[in-house]
Amino acid sequence: MFTKYQWFLAGLMLVTGSINTLSTKWADRQSAKGCNNYPSHPFDHPFFQACCMFIGELSCLLVFKLTVFVAKRRNKAIDIGSQTFNPIVFLPAACCDMTATSLMYIGLNMTYASSFQMLRGSVIIFTGLLSVGFLHRVLRPFQWLGMFTIIIGLAVVGLSDILFNKDTTKHSAPYPLSGDMIIIMAQIIVAIQMCYEERFVLRYNVPPLQAVGWEGFFGFFILGILLIPFYFIHANEMFSHSPQFRLEDALDAFCQMGNSKIIVIAMIGNIISIAFFNFSGISVTKEMNATTRMVLDSLRTMIIWAVGLIAMWEKFQYLQIIGFVMLIIGTCVYNDLLVGPFFRKRGLLLRIFDLPEATPLRDTEKLLSPPDYESVADERTRLINS
């Protein structure tokens, strides 16, 4: 069972994560004049939005430093974890975050917000596969079944975007199939980041605020520098709506924000929500595990889908219900919430779903399902301290 603090982290991640996607899509749907009175055009700036996201993450580092400073001034004890690590260890995670977020924002511009969130569920597949090699796990049969079910759900969601994109009203997405493929590609990079973070936070006791802040620090400055060459790279109309079809025109983004209060509100909301979302996300990874974080991330779909329908950003598609249900079933099966308990209750297939009691610790770590991985970390810590 989760503690109250863990439930709080899960709820915070769910709410702020939903606001993150919705505020980004809200900004994408706005149009405003550009620099030099350039005619109104869509706010299509995925790399600029990703850079703003890192500002939200960087703010976590400032909050951490301020919290430590205030605690020292008041002579209060505060757990700052292990401070012997090298901040460079966060650089790989920041690069993964930067690349994946930029790709996902590009895909979000091309497809529906609900499809965007549903397709992000594919990260469970890649996380599971990478955990075999990166975290030295062995996936159980029911986890392979869950991953196969998720693949079916993803195929149904992609099919719905193809069939229903014939609608040319304001509900339609410009390039749904291309956007869907880009989003799925981004999940491979997200899975790498999740596995890397899980292995890191289990090894070092780094406060979540500090960890998120360092990722934001590296991500903001690297992507901020990349915005300069992106300005001189030209792209076709599929990837850019800027005046001269630049890959990213940060100057045009600032001009559009100056001409539209709605875009400013959406961007500020995105920065604030991403700060709390990443803090709660990395806390969930530390308190639970990376797969739990992915499950919570997938549950945001229902909220985002409902808001998208209410706001008339898209039309109701019955195939999405089928795809969404398949994704939920696959997620539950993968996390041992459906198939395993069903057979255990009836005393069937115990050799497949349960471990021998005398299994050594080092072997158990390779065979445990993701929800049980925290007990292994606790046991390892106990052995080290003893």
Side-chain angles (χ1 to χ4, degrees), residues 1 28 51 59 94 158 196 240 349:
M1 293 294 294
D28 292 342
C51 200
S59 64
Y196 179 86
S240 177
L349 300 178

Side-chain angles (χ1 to χ4, degrees), residues 19-30 43-56 105 248 250 253-254 256-258 260-275:
I19 296 175
N20 177 31
T21 301
L22 292 171
S23 61
T24 302
K25 189 61 178 180
W26 189 29
D28 292 342
R29 292 181 60 85
Q30 304 303 314
F43 187 79
D44 183 8
H45 300 282
F47 296 101
F48 178 82
Q49 289 174 311
C51 200
C52 291
M53 181 208 72
F54 282 115
I55 295 178
Y105 282 172
E248 182 56 273
F254 281 114
Q256 286 189 290
M257 291 176 63
S260 174
K261 294 182 180 179
I262 295 180
I263 296 179
V264 174
I265 294 174
M267 295 302 297
I268 294 177
N270 180 265
I271 292 174
I272 296 175
S273 66
I274 203 65

